[in-house]
Amino acid sequence: MVRRFDYSLVAVSFLHFINDANVLLVPTVLPLIIEEFGLSYTQVGFLTGMTAFAMMFLQLPLGYLSDIKGRKYLLSFGIFLVGLGALISGLSKTFLQLLAAQLLLGVGGSFYHPLGYSLTSSLYERGERGSALGIQSSMGDLGVLVIFLTNGYLALIGGWRLPLLVFGVLAIFSSLTPILIREDVQRVDNMSHRLRFKEVISKHVLSLLLMYFLVAAAYKILYSYLPPILMLKGLSLTVTNLTIAVATFFGIVGSITVGILIDKFGEGKILSFLSLVLSIFSLILVKVSNIFSIVFVVVVLGFCLYGLYPGLYSILSKKVRKHVLGLTYGFILSAGMSGGFIGTVMAGVAADIFNVEVTLLIFSFLILALFITLLIEELSK
């Protein structure tokens, strides 16, 4: 359990709330955007995958830079860009303008995860690191919960643009938060910088790269296409968003619970169980039509999906040295975001060819591949 609940953990956790809330604003009002611009599911894939497209190129160099120059001022600049991208998204009049604004938001969103998680991992030792990462991870989930809880109502008041404007302004003001964080920046020479890349590439890190690729692809697919799937099952936008908000609440519970459990029991078996449940329940969602059954299945998906993240972050933090945490997080997360972009676009193409529920089958396949990877990793110990 975490014993040092100080300003640094509070600040990076709050910024995770702001970052993830803004990154996922578009899916909360996606049916309204589809209706206004007449989008195909392939276009939806590009739109919701645009943030991941930016992140897959930038998280590696940003993680590398943070190990050398420090993290807090880079975090501040990144959150400012996130807010600016959300504001411009809310002011967009065409699909191409919205696409470009989401790309800017993705550039800003590239800063948080390699910097924020490496900062927390460097501040806490193994006995409490899992719990600290669980708290930090859960605050990002809380940001997702809040936007799904509120944006349906905000959209009723001012259309789909209002939520983007509100949370964009909040992000810009929040960009001042990291300034008071205390961090110990290691100064190393240029030769050491080059040697760091050799420390990052290993068999264990490459297996984690595959895991992050699969999880990021599955996560982006679920949040991109779950709203239209639920609306096709007869739910209104408000009820759809409330359902996803409830699932995200239980995702927060799952994130914190798994963070505590892995400190006691380790990551492998717990993550394998969660991934197996995810794969099965996503297939069940294709068949159910009763609203209570839908809510139950989506809640289970939320608990298990969000529970994966603190376990993966904990595995990563154990396998690399502290002075290359930023670089390694950047490397892994960049590869993961490539999965997010490729996954959403390919799922959109498949949805146009077949139907939107085929995205749940793709989600199940990706999570099953994660289960197999975890099982192989566990057996190879």
Side-chain angles (χ1 to χ4, degrees), residues 12-26 28 135-151 163 167 170 219 223 241 244-245 248-249 251-252 306:
V12 295
S13 298
F14 174 69
L15 290 176
H16 197 192
F17 172 97
I18 296 297
N19 184 82
D20 284 18
N22 278 272
V23 167
L24 278 175
L25 283 173
V26 164
T28 66
I135 292 169
Q136 181 181 9
S137 179
S138 69
M139 286 301 292
D141 308 337
L142 181 61
V144 177
L145 185 154
V146 168
I147 59 173
F148 275 102
L149 195 62
T150 61
N151 285 4
F167 282 94
L170 181 60
Y219 181 93
Y223 269 95
N241 281 355
I244 299 175
T248 305
F249 170 77
I252 295 171
Y306 283 98

Side-chain angles (χ1 to χ4, degrees), residues 24-34 148 151-152 154-155 159-161 163-164 227 237 241:
L24 278 175
L25 283 173
V26 164
T28 66
V29 290
L30 186 58
L32 300 179
I33 295 174
I34 292 173
F148 275 102
N151 285 4
L154 288 175
W160 65 265
R161 291 176 172 81
L164 280 73
L237 177 62
N241 281 355

Side-chain angles (χ1 to χ4, degrees), residues 120-279:
T120 301
S121 296
S122 67
L123 293 174
Y124 291 89
E125 300 300 329
R126 288 190 180 186
E128 53 184 2
R129 187 183 297 150
S131 300
L133 289 169
I135 292 169
Q136 181 181 9
S137 179
S138 69
M139 286 301 292
D141 308 337
L142 181 61
V144 177
L145 185 154
V146 168
I147 59 173
F148 275 102
L149 195 62
T150 61
N151 285 4
Y153 297 104
L154 288 175
L156 287 176
I157 297 171
W160 65 265
R161 291 176 172 81
L162 181 59
L164 280 73
L165 297 174
V166 170
F167 282 94
V169 170
L170 181 60
I172 288 175
F173 280 105
S174 301
S175 64
L176 299 174
T177 304
I179 294 175
L180 296 178
I181 294 177
R182 295 181 180 180
E183 62 172 331
D184 181 22
V185 182
Q186 294 182 336
R187 302 296 179 184
V188 291
D189 57 32
N190 291 330
M191 179 59 72
S192 298
H193 296 175
R194 291 192 292 271
L195 292 174
R196 289 179 176 209
F197 285 100
K198 296 181 180 180
E199 297 183 54
V200 171
I201 305 298
S202 68
K203 180 182 71 173
H204 294 298
V205 171
L206 291 177
S207 67
L208 274 169
L209 184 150
L210 175 59
M211 293 180 200
Y212 275 88
F213 181 94
L214 295 169
V215 171
Y219 181 93
K220 290 292 289 185
I221 287 171
L222 190 65
Y223 269 95
S224 296
Y225 299 102
L226 186 57
I229 287 173
L230 295 185
M231 291 191 72
L232 285 175
K233 289 180 179 289
L235 280 64
S236 68
L237 177 62
T238 302
V239 175
T240 292
N241 281 355
L242 287 175
T243 300
I244 299 175
V246 171
T248 305
F249 170 77
F250 281 94
I252 295 171
V253 175
S255 181
I256 296 174
T257 302
V258 171
I260 294 171
L261 289 175
I262 61 176
D263 281 339
K264 294 183 178 180
F265 305 110
E267 302 89 355
K269 292 182 177 63
I270 294 174
L271 296 186
S272 296
F273 174 76
L274 292 176
S275 60
L276 184 60
V277 172
L278 276 169
S279 184

Side-chain angles (χ1 to χ4, degrees), residues 31-155:
L32 300 179
I33 295 174
I34 292 173
E35 182 180 357
E36 178 169 330
F37 294 121
L39 304 182
S40 67
Y41 286 118
T42 301
Q43 289 175 305
V44 168
F46 278 103
L47 177 61
T48 58
M50 194 53 60
T51 53
F53 179 76
M55 291 177 189
M56 74 181 185
F57 291 108
L58 294 176
Q59 288 189 117
L60 173 59
L62 286 171
Y64 176 62
L65 184 63
S66 73
D67 284 331
I68 304 168
K69 301 296 184 182
R71 301 174 177 95
K72 66 180 185 179
Y73 294 113
L74 290 172
L75 276 174
S76 180
F77 181 61
I79 294 298
F80 175 81
L81 289 181
V82 164
L84 184 61
L87 276 176
I88 298 175
S89 295
L91 297 172
S92 298
K93 301 300 182 183
T94 68
F95 173 66
L96 288 179
Q97 289 175 0
L98 181 57
L99 207 63
Q102 285 296 293
L103 181 63
L104 175 61
L105 196 156
V107 170
S110 302
F111 286 73
Y112 181 79
H113 289 94
L115 278 61
Y117 278 110
S118 62
L119 178 59
T120 301
S121 296
S122 67
L123 293 174
Y124 291 89
E125 300 300 329
R126 288 190 180 186
E128 53 184 2
R129 187 183 297 150
S131 300
L133 289 169
I135 292 169
Q136 181 181 9
S137 179
S138 69
M139 286 301 292
D141 308 337
L142 181 61
V144 177
L145 185 154
V146 168
I147 59 173
F148 275 102
L149 195 62
T150 61
N151 285 4
Y153 297 104
L154 288 175

